Amino acid sequence: MTHHVAIVGAGFSGTLQAINLLRHDGPRATLIERAETPGLGLAYGAARPDHILNVRAGNMSALPDDPGHFVRWLEKEGVADAARQFAPRKTFGRYLKAMLDDAVANCGGRLNIVRGEVTQVDHSGGGARISLADGQSIDADAAVLAVGNLPPHTPPGIDPDALTPPRYFGDPWAADVTDGLSDEDAVLIIGTGLTMIDSALSLDAAGFRGRIIALSRRGLLPRAHEAPGASWERIAERPETVASELVGSLRQRSAAIGWRNAVDELRPFTQFMWGNASEAERSRFLRHLRPWWDVHRHRLAPEVAARIEALRANGRLTIVSGKTMDAREHDDGVAVEWRPRGHDKAETLVVQRIINCTGPLGDLDRTTDPLLRDLTARGLIRADAHRIGIDVDNQARTIAATGQPNDWLYALGPMTRGAFWEIVAVPDIRQQTWALARRLSNAHWVGGEGL
């Protein structure tokens, strides 16, 4: 019987896990967070006022059993036509913080929040013992790793130690990433995904009027949302998981109903498709199709897309495709050697700042996170087959180096993408935290779900 659950990390995943345990009248919970403010995480805690959600508010409820929850909260905040709006990420952070504060105030002591750095998680007495940097230890029947996204890899050819601060920012969310730049400067952003979009908008909002060059292997930009159109008859059966056949069917559906609808109608099936795909097909997808899937699946709010297009139109933002080779600091900046895609000859670009927006790290062998390194070294967790996160089973139990699932140690959120793939957005994570909370509360038997 589970009486106490310790949750490591109080970002979106960890906060919802704690809230859902209370909502299911489950075990008491201890939520452990190293940041000053729990309930925000990196996505909402580091957001700037100009960063907005990439999904309309109507699909951003934190509660899968109450789809209108976020919309009603916005309406109470005075937001008109809330369901159709792309709310600021800071607003969504306030929403999560309000939910957590309300849960703490009305839980009768069943939820405790601890600020601290978790240094070790051990299997102890059939459960988990969590050790903190200040010497405190917490015993629980089960522990949940809700560590969120990890920092990105250092790009090829870049040696951060060889560059004088603030020439290189490995953390694109650093508070001072826009400081000290003049309008005569050039900034190189490595990566052209959603993080690059945020970084470019932050530079613009901070008053930077110099040049921004964004570089990635393929130079692909996230596509934009459009206004909701007419409804269409969605597919009723799960498509094939063979990559070539999936591409063919997507093209056919795109021609018939538009590519946005063709991608959206896959949403109910993507986790099942990933789970049923062979390891070879998963590898093929990750190697060849992932960049194209990402830019069509994870879209921009129309107003954000318009701002990016305006920056490109006036020459302040340039998108290039290629690979970094080297970076050497000189008196006038950093000379970055890079090779354009499809060419053998390298070129040199002189910039005053480099910002790493290549996306989150998932490989446990390359992470610098002390807790994950320790858990991996001791064989308590292992990397998934494609080294994009923590290996878990379909119940979110971590898998030990022996191949056995841990009944006492779970993982949630983006670091479980190896098992679920579509597990980085709010609609997917809210369902995952809900399901695990029901299991830990023995509520998964209700309605015959466990039969």
Side-chain angles (χ1 to χ4, degrees):
M1 189 72 177
T2 304
H3 299 285
H4 179 205
V5 175
I7 304 165
V8 181
F12 182 73
S13 301
T15 296
L16 275 195
Q17 185 60 55
I19 290 171
N20 282 325
L21 286 172
L22 298 178
R23 296 183 75 227
H24 289 306
D25 196 26
R28 65 185 180 91
T30 299
L31 188 57
I32 309 165
E33 173 57 45
R34 58 189 171 194
E36 183 176 354
T37 305
L40 299 180
L42 181 63
Y44 310 112
R48 295 178 174 87
D50 53 309
H51 295 163
I52 67 175
L53 298 172
N54 297 314
V55 177
R56 289 182 175 85
N59 199 28
M60 286 294 289
S61 170
L63 308 176
D65 61 325
D66 188 355
H69 190 261
F70 181 46
V71 169
R72 294 197 305 274
W73 186 88
L74 285 174
E75 290 171 345
K76 290 179 181 178
E77 295 283 304
V79 178
D81 195 21
R84 297 170 61 88
Q85 303 301 315
F86 292 86
R89 290 219 296 268
K90 277 190 171 295
T91 299
F92 194 75
R94 289 196 296 110
Y95 163 66
L96 293 176
K97 185 65 167 59
M99 289 180 65
L100 181 60
D101 290 345
D102 184 67
V104 171
N106 296 286
C107 71
R110 292 173 51 226
L111 172 56
N112 183 36
I113 299 177
V114 173
R115 185 182 179 193
E117 179 83 27
V118 176
T119 57
Q120 200 167 65
V121 178
D122 294 293
H123 192 198
S124 174
R129 171 163 291 178
I130 293 85
S131 301
L132 276 63
D134 62 3
Q136 181 182 180
S137 64
I138 299 169
D139 290 319
D141 299 302
V144 177
L145 301 175
V147 296
N149 281 314
L150 302 181
H153 294 290
T154 301
I158 306 292
D159 180 4
D161 295 331
L163 300 176
T164 305
R167 294 295 194 193
Y168 174 79
F169 277 85
D171 176 11
W173 309 109
D176 58 343
V177 72
T178 63
D179 292 353
L181 291 169
S182 77
D183 291 350
E184 306 303 315
D185 291 338
V187 174
L188 174 63
I189 299 178
I190 304 178
T192 58
L194 293 175
T195 307
M196 181 281 290
I197 300 294
D198 286 342
S199 186
L201 294 183
S202 293
L203 287 165
D204 182 52
F208 177 63
R209 296 297 178 263
R211 288 194 307 136
I212 303 171
I213 304 98
L215 179 152
S216 69
R217 295 289 182 92
R218 293 174 176 81
L220 297 175
L221 283 176
R223 277 35 173 185
H225 283 284
E226 286 187 342
S231 60
W232 74 99
E233 185 175 349
R234 297 172 182 255
I235 56 175
E237 297 183 358
R238 184 180 67 212
E240 293 293 329
T241 56
V242 177
S244 57
E245 295 183 12
L246 178 59
V247 170
S249 64
L250 261 175
R251 284 174 174 163
Q252 291 178 358
R253 291 295 286 169
S254 295
I257 62 176
W259 70 261
R260 291 172 178 81
N261 293 341
V263 171
D264 290 346
E265 70 181 3
L266 291 178
R267 287 298 308 280
F269 305 106
T270 48
Q271 287 192 355
F272 298 100
M273 291 166 64
W274 181 262
N276 284 279
S278 67
E279 294 298 344
E281 285 300 324
R282 292 184 188 185
S283 294
R284 193 170 293 115
F285 172 86
L286 292 171
R287 188 167 57 252
H288 300 295
L289 299 180
R290 178 179 183 175
W292 298 95
W293 172 260
D294 284 347
V295 298
H296 288 85
R297 164 67 183 84
H298 302 289
R299 302 170 206 157
L300 304 176
E303 63 185 84
V304 170
R307 291 178 62 190
I308 292 297
E309 283 307 307
L311 289 175
R312 298 183 70 187
N314 62 28
R316 291 175 51 209
L317 171 63
T318 303
I319 309 298
V320 295
S321 60
K323 177 183 178 181
T324 54
M325 308 293 291
D326 191 20
R328 297 181 182 276
E329 188 168 354
H330 301 286
D331 290 341
D332 55 349
V334 181
V336 179
E337 185 179 322
W338 68 287
R339 187 175 65 228
R341 185 175 180 84
H343 296 267
D344 295 327
K345 185 179 179 180
E347 298 183 9
T348 299
L349 180 67
V350 178
V351 298
Q352 282 66 49
R353 183 160 302 172
I354 302 171
I355 305 174
N356 185 354
C357 293
T358 55
L361 164 69
D363 189 347
L364 292 180
D365 285 344
R366 297 177 64 182
T367 182
T368 58
D369 184 272
L371 175 61
L372 295 183
R373 288 179 64 89
D374 177 73
L375 288 168
T376 304
R378 292 191 290 130
L380 294 177
I381 63 174
R382 70 180 186 185
D384 61 70
H386 301 283
R387 317 204 75 80
I388 55 176
I390 300 170
D391 199 12
V392 298
D393 65 9
N394 60 7
Q395 299 176 28
R397 297 180 297 182
T398 59
I399 307 296
T402 60
Q404 296 299 310
N406 296 311
D407 287 323
W408 59 278
L409 183 61
Y410 298 81
L412 291 173
M415 283 298 286
T416 64
R417 61 174 65 87
F420 304 107
W421 181 244
E422 283 285 286
I423 198 65
V424 299
V426 165
D428 306 299
I429 296 175
R430 71 185 174 205
Q431 189 61 48
Q432 186 189 41
T433 58
W434 173 266
L436 180 56
R438 295 192 73 182
R439 182 168 295 278
L440 292 174
S441 304
N442 279 327
H444 60 296
W445 297 97
V446 176
E449 289 185 36
L451 301 179

